[in-house]
Amino acid sequence: MSNTASTLFLVLISTALINNVVLAQFLGICPFLGVSRSTKTAAGMGGAVIFVITIASAVAAVLYKFVLVRFELEYLKTIVFIMVIAFLVQLVELFLKKFVPPLYKALGVYLPLITTNCAVLGVALTNVQKDYDILTSIISGFGTAVGFCVAIVIMAGIREKTENNNFPKAFKGTPAVLLTACLMSIAFYGFGVLPK
């Protein structure tokens, strides 16, 4: 494996597991908690987020490198990235509404919330801060989105299995979900701990 390929692989694994956008950086919590009631809906949201973050990372990297830096407009990066993300979310929304209406209805208000999902904007800004090239930005975006998808599907699976469990009254509902998210965060932390 070449040096570049190994670097890209490390970026992919790091963004997906070690620095998981939801469980380590605490970005994208709203859809993570809101859409994780069923694995089917969670997988649909994960797929939409994979598309939006990956394409947004690519477009943002190209715009930043070839337009904003070239014309010394770097200070506009946040506004430009938000506009790119909003456009991509509209594309996803139109696609799901036309071709997958059940998933469109199941996602409900959380689909347009991808536009304001801080994870999507966070990835684009992080890629710029770390001075990633276009390919590394795309891999970083894809890895981040896959990490989001993995986390939300695992959360949905746990919620489905524990829905009818006999929790003490104080832990039912939101406290159980937050405790589960906390334990998942601790589990994902283990990916970053190297044995001595």
Side-chain angles (χ1 to χ4, degrees):
M1 189 182 286
S2 71
N3 193 25
T4 304
S6 61
T7 301
L8 293 175
F9 180 74
L10 287 173
V11 167
L12 180 68
I13 295 301
S14 172
T15 54
L17 299 176
I18 299 167
N19 297 317
N20 186 282
V21 70
V22 177
L23 302 173
Q25 299 177 30
F26 307 112
L27 299 174
I29 296 291
C30 180
F32 174 70
L33 297 177
V35 184
S36 61
R37 295 181 192 275
S38 82
T39 51
K40 191 172 181 181
T41 308
M45 174 60 94
V49 168
I50 287 173
F51 174 80
V52 170
I53 289 183
T54 305
I55 302 300
S57 296
V59 173
V62 169
L63 286 174
Y64 185 78
K65 184 172 185 172
F66 295 112
V67 177
L68 299 179
V69 171
R70 183 173 182 181
F71 296 107
E72 297 180 1
L73 299 170
E74 295 95 336
Y75 60 91
L76 293 175
K77 67 181 175 272
T78 304
I79 294 169
V80 171
F81 294 170
I82 288 172
M83 289 178 5
V84 167
I85 293 163
F87 174 74
L88 290 171
V89 171
Q90 288 301 313
L91 283 180
V92 170
E93 194 170 355
L94 290 172
F95 175 82
L96 291 179
K97 190 174 188 179
K98 176 95 173 154
F99 297 107
V100 196
L103 181 59
Y104 176 78
K105 288 179 185 171
L107 292 175
V109 71
Y110 292 101
L111 186 57
L113 280 178
I114 295 175
T115 305
T116 59
N117 185 343
C118 51
V120 184
L121 181 59
V123 172
L125 292 174
T126 300
N127 290 342
V128 168
Q129 280 181 334
K130 292 186 176 182
D131 199 28
Y132 285 159
D133 60 25
I134 294 170
L135 180 60
T136 308
S137 294
I138 294 169
I139 296 296
S140 172
F142 178 73
T144 300
V146 167
F148 177 88
C149 186
V150 166
I152 197 170
V153 169
I154 290 172
M155 173 61 99
I158 292 170
R159 286 180 77 173
E160 284 180 351
K161 293 289 184 190
T162 61
E163 186 175 325
N164 297 320
N165 285 7
N166 190 16
F167 285 117
K169 190 174 181 181
F171 285 106
K172 287 191 177 185
T174 304
V177 173
L178 293 176
L179 186 59
T180 302
C182 175
L183 293 173
M184 284 177 61
S185 181
I186 292 169
F188 271 67
Y189 176 75
F191 287 117
V193 178
L194 297 172
K196 296 193 179 202

